Amino acid sequence: MAESLKQEETMAGAQGRGGVSIIIPTLNAAPWLERLLAMLENQTVRADEILIVDSGSTDGSLEIIRAHGVRLIEIPKEQFDHGGTRAMAIGKTSGDLVVFLTQDAIPASREALARLIAPFADTPQLAAAYGRQLPSEDANLFSAHLRLFNYPPRDSLRCWQDRERYGFKTIFISNSFAAYRRRALEEVGLFPEKLLFGEDTVTVARLLEQGWCVHYVSGACVHHSHNYSLWQDFKRYFDIGALHALEWRLFAPYGAPTGAGKRFVRSEIAFLLAQKRYMLIPQSLVRNGLKLAAYALGRRHGRLPRSLARALSMHPRWWQ
């Protein structure tokens, strides 16, 4: 009883008067929606509203959403925009705090939401908080290590003045499970439209420039991972390189991500050795070599034929 009361008080303090809104973009989300909505309904603290923006599901997702009585907005698939769609959804909600989830990010506990929003009550300059992503049950070793590397079991609070300490990691965030203070988002114009992807990273970079901070909350956990193939990894890192080239002026104060890349390669090899999966080390070297090549190509996307860039990207429609 005491723990429950404390969580309710934390929720009230974090919310302010306007409450908490959850926004979830979906497209053919049926494999995850039932579990996701059930976990949200059973959180120790409940959001004031849940809004799902669906962009053309054909797999039964809409029936699941309606069965749970969740508010739904439908848009054509071709109108989906990583930043623009989320900005539109913010305008349809009223919470002082806006929480974003992706359709395949499943809260790992009933306390996930309460823990994610708790830091807002104690840190007035906090604009955003994001949770820890744990590997899903079907995660392979490469996917599991990526989550362990990017989401360690310790919190961090990062502000503009911390950029020399954290480097490019200063602006790391993921909208797979993140909360934002509405007032801070409005100050920087919400999420930018017509980005290749990375609306969360771009927005945090802008927020930090304005004196706001971002908090990584290691105790707020979701299960979320992807078993990307070599080709999918290549495409993803091509897009990362392209984004970094397109937004170089915004990202320049945070340095280059090369140091983190080297640490990742060493960490992955150590992880495979600890798991005694020695036969996967050559694949690790190949995979990371391809990522480096893809990133370099993405940085130089302006020199490539548009048709080739489209073929190398996870988001080919953007290049049209």
Side-chain angles (χ1 to χ4, degrees):
M1 176 66 76
E3 181 181 355
S4 176
L5 180 59
K6 183 178 180 180
Q7 288 171 339
E8 289 177 5
E9 291 172 349
T10 300
M11 178 73 162
Q15 286 179 235
R17 294 173 58 188
V20 174
S21 303
I22 293 179
I23 296 172
I24 310 169
T26 59
L27 172 62
N28 292 331
W32 308 280
L33 263 180
E34 192 67 55
R35 285 180 294 154
L36 172 56
L37 293 176
M39 283 300 297
L40 292 178
E41 291 165 0
N42 284 284
Q43 291 294 293
T44 54
V45 294
R46 297 285 295 272
D48 293 84
E49 58 182 340
I50 299 175
L51 172 63
I52 291 181
V53 182
D54 188 85
S55 52
S57 290
T58 58
D59 67 343
S61 294
L62 301 182
E63 289 76 10
I64 296 173
I65 294 167
R66 293 184 179 116
H68 281 263
V70 176
R71 187 178 171 202
L72 171 66
I73 294 177
E74 297 181 58
I75 63 172
K77 183 177 181 179
E78 59 272 13
Q79 287 186 11
F80 177 80
D81 178 272
H82 291 285
T85 298
R86 287 178 168 87
M88 177 274 292
I90 291 171
K92 304 292 185 182
T93 60
S94 60
D96 285 346
L97 296 182
V98 183
V99 176
F100 287 94
L101 283 148
T102 50
Q103 62 189 29
D104 55 347
I106 312 299
S109 72
R110 298 181 64 237
E111 296 80 25
L113 179 58
R115 291 172 177 170
L116 180 69
I117 66 174
F120 287 92
D122 302 321
T123 312
Q125 72 272 29
L126 186 63
Y130 67 102
R132 186 181 184 189
Q133 296 184 29
L134 304 173
S136 301
E137 290 182 2
D138 64 345
N140 61 33
L141 287 180
F142 295 111
S143 178
H145 170 260
L146 178 63
R147 289 301 182 269
L148 295 172
F149 182 84
N150 283 335
Y151 302 95
R154 59 186 180 278
D155 286 24
S156 64
L157 177 68
R158 306 189 299 272
C159 307
W160 172 256
Q161 62 269 22
D162 298 313
R163 63 193 186 281
E164 292 186 5
R165 175 185 176 187
Y166 290 104
F168 209 80
K169 189 74 172 180
T170 312
I171 54 175
F172 185 83
I173 191 172
S174 172
N175 271 349
S176 288
F177 188 41
Y180 295 84
R181 197 183 300 271
R182 179 184 294 268
R183 179 166 61 87
L185 280 179
E186 291 174 343
E187 188 175 304
V188 297
L190 304 179
F191 295 110
E193 297 182 9
K194 299 181 180 179
L195 281 179
L196 175 60
F197 82 119
E199 79 294 335
D200 42 10
T201 303
V202 168
T203 299
V204 165
R206 292 177 175 177
L207 287 165
L208 266 57
E209 281 188 348
Q210 297 301 313
W212 295 95
C213 301
V214 58
H215 193 140
Y216 167 57
V217 188
S218 62
C221 301
V222 293
H223 290 286
H224 178 247
S225 57
H226 299 283
N227 293 328
Y228 286 138
S229 66
L230 288 172
W231 181 231
Q232 288 172 318
D233 256 347
F234 186 96
K235 288 186 169 187
R236 176 166 176 77
Y237 278 81
F238 176 85
D239 286 345
I240 293 172
L243 176 69
H244 290 180
L246 291 165
E247 300 294 335
W248 68 271
R249 288 185 181 87
L250 180 65
F251 293 161
Y254 305 99
T258 51
K262 293 176 182 178
R263 290 194 299 274
F264 177 85
V265 173
R266 292 194 294 266
S267 175
E268 186 170 85
I269 291 175
F271 176 75
L272 293 174
L273 288 172
Q275 298 293 321
K276 299 183 179 180
R277 299 299 296 273
Y278 312 116
M279 297 299 292
L280 290 179
I281 292 176
Q283 184 183 155
S284 171
L285 295 173
V286 170
R287 185 180 291 268
N288 286 303
L290 287 173
K291 288 179 183 178
L292 178 62
Y295 180 81
L297 272 176
R299 294 279 299 188
R300 296 164 178 78
H301 69 272
R303 304 178 187 178
L304 303 178
R306 183 58 64 96
S307 59
L308 178 57
R310 187 165 58 246
L312 296 177
S313 173
M314 291 194 85
H315 307 283
R317 186 166 58 87
W318 184 86
W319 299 90
Q320 297 174 3

